[in-house]
Amino acid sequence: MKLAAVDIGSNAIRLQITHITHYQDNINFKKLEYVRFPLRLGKDVFHDKRISDQNRRKFVKLMKAYKLLIDLYEVDDYMVCATSAMRESENGKDIAEEVKQDLGLKIQIIDGNKEADLINIALWNYIDHKSYLHIDVGGGSTELNIYQNKQKVASKSFKIGSVRTLDSGRSPKVWNSMRNFIAENIDKKHKITCIGTGGNINKIFELSNPRKNKRYLDINKIKEIKAYLEGFSYEERVNHLNLNPDRADVIIPASSIYLEAMEAAGSSKMIVPDVGLKDGVMNVLFEKNKSKLADSIL
């Protein structure tokens, strides 16, 4: 069985195609294709409240390319999710309808709570009976989830993101709201560990030169990496550090968001599991279609 997940973010758009097999009571997920295209829809939306005509044309071309890959791989089912940029765009629904009519590709524009729920599905293997703050930083929004005893006790989406912060700066009211949410919902009697998801924290983790099988960062290491990156110009981060152009500018504001949330929680440790929205979507698709997998081996 083959499944496809598309994540339409504010900074980039990702496609993953996965082959799922069942052999001797083992279910295996094998990634067949992964494409990340740096189309920054958020830059339009957070300034002008709508996706520009130029990016609209690019977006439709990209969806056509992804639809061709989905068809070529003969995918059994797919799910396309759009997050903060498209949900805040005045013409986001019109563009989604254009793609549906022209290409037959259905785009779901999801809210922050749905986005957080999908990511949480992929996180479940990393959560035990301790206390956790999950921080997912995207281009346009940050989703926070608080867990205690394997139960989600609080969740909220904030209009704080790497692209939004880069282009518009901090909104003191929104940042204070995020800090207050954390302070009001964590149990200060228990030590809290953070879980970080998103492309920027994965890159920060990579830059930390982690030991094999180590999937966590301490807060001082994140601060160290942030200071290191700030020591280079944008051009030097692209050409000397080999960061992608659409990563080299947003990674610093993203690191500030992670640090702000960690400090508000009084947390010194962050697990970096390298999962995200597309992984949650893939799990939802698997649960929906797993009976087909069973039928295929009868």
Side-chain angles (χ1 to χ4, degrees):
M1 180 170 65
K2 296 171 187 173
L3 303 174
V6 180
D7 171 9
I8 301 171
S10 300
N11 192 46
I13 302 174
R14 302 167 179 84
L15 163 71
Q16 181 168 313
I17 298 175
T18 299
H19 187 205
I20 303 173
T21 59
H22 189 174
Y23 179 70
Q24 295 183 347
D25 296 326
N26 292 317
I27 296 174
N28 299 304
F29 288 66
K30 179 177 175 57
K31 183 164 65 179
L32 295 179
E33 188 73 65
Y34 176 73
V35 182
R36 176 187 183 276
F37 189 84
L39 183 57
R40 188 170 285 182
L41 300 178
K43 188 172 181 64
D44 290 341
V45 176
F46 306 144
H47 274 284
D48 304 319
K49 305 298 183 185
R50 59 187 292 109
I51 295 167
S52 67
D53 291 342
Q54 179 183 10
N55 277 339
R56 179 174 184 152
R57 290 190 292 270
K58 284 185 178 180
F59 177 79
V60 173
K61 285 182 180 179
L62 181 61
M63 291 300 100
K64 183 176 182 180
Y66 283 0
K67 180 63 163 56
L68 285 170
L69 284 171
I70 288 170
D71 290 344
L72 285 168
Y73 276 104
E74 299 180 332
V75 164
D76 295 281
D77 200 2
Y78 73 88
M79 186 172 175
V80 183
C81 290
T83 57
S84 59
M86 283 198 76
R87 68 176 172 248
E88 292 182 36
S89 173
E90 293 173 350
N91 57 349
K93 289 182 180 179
D94 290 341
I95 295 172
E97 183 62 26
E98 178 184 348
V99 169
K100 181 180 177 182
Q101 293 297 324
D102 291 354
L103 305 176
L105 195 70
K106 182 180 178 182
I107 297 173
Q108 298 183 39
I109 301 176
I110 60 175
D111 62 23
N113 291 328
K114 178 66 173 178
E115 182 178 354
D117 287 343
L118 286 168
I119 298 168
N120 291 343
I121 292 169
L123 283 181
W124 199 244
N125 289 336
Y126 298 89
I127 294 174
D128 55 24
H129 291 283
K130 298 176 184 177
S131 297
Y132 294 93
L133 169 63
H134 169 222
I135 311 162
D136 181 70
V137 177
S141 64
T142 292
E143 275 63 52
L144 298 182
N145 301 279
I146 298 173
Y147 293 90
Q148 293 173 2
N149 295 318
K150 296 204 79 169
Q151 298 291 324
K152 184 163 69 172
V153 298
S155 177
K156 194 167 183 179
S157 177
F158 296 87
K159 288 186 177 181
I160 301 172
S162 58
V163 176
R164 194 190 297 269
T165 302
L166 179 71
D167 290 344
S168 305
R170 285 176 175 241
S171 168
K173 183 179 178 180
V174 181
W175 283 68
N176 286 336
S177 177
M178 182 178 75
R179 285 190 291 266
N180 291 337
F181 169 81
I182 295 170
E184 291 166 3
N185 288 284
I186 64 169
D187 185 349
K188 295 184 184 287
K189 294 182 292 185
H190 300 286
K191 184 177 180 181
I192 190 162
T193 298
C194 290
I195 302 174
T197 54
N200 287 295
I201 197 65
N202 290 330
K203 178 55 68 172
I204 291 168
F205 177 78
E206 181 184 321
L207 291 170
S208 72
N209 296 315
R211 295 193 301 272
K212 189 176 181 181
N213 299 323
K214 172 190 170 186
R215 291 301 313 181
Y216 68 86
L217 291 165
D218 64 50
I219 192 168
N220 290 327
K221 177 58 73 171
I222 298 173
K223 290 178 179 178
E224 178 186 319
I225 297 296
K226 179 174 181 284
Y228 173 72
L229 291 168
E230 288 173 331
F232 295 91
S233 67
Y234 168 78
E235 289 76 14
E236 288 170 335
R237 290 195 291 271
V238 172
N239 296 293
H240 179 66
L241 301 182
N242 290 320
L243 297 186
N244 289 335
D246 66 309
R247 180 75 65 209
D249 53 355
V250 297
I251 192 168
I252 292 174
S255 64
S256 296
I257 300 169
Y258 289 111
L259 288 169
E260 192 88 18
M262 290 182 77
E263 289 171 349
S267 177
S268 61
K269 180 181 177 181
M270 175 179 283
I271 299 169
V272 186
D274 192 20
V275 299
L277 179 65
K278 60 181 172 50
D279 302 284
V281 169
M282 199 63 71
N283 274 279
V284 168
L285 287 170
F286 171 70
E287 289 298 321
K288 177 184 172 186
N289 292 279
K290 63 182 179 182
S291 62
K292 297 178 184 176
L293 186 65
D295 292 342
S296 69
I297 60 173
L298 293 177

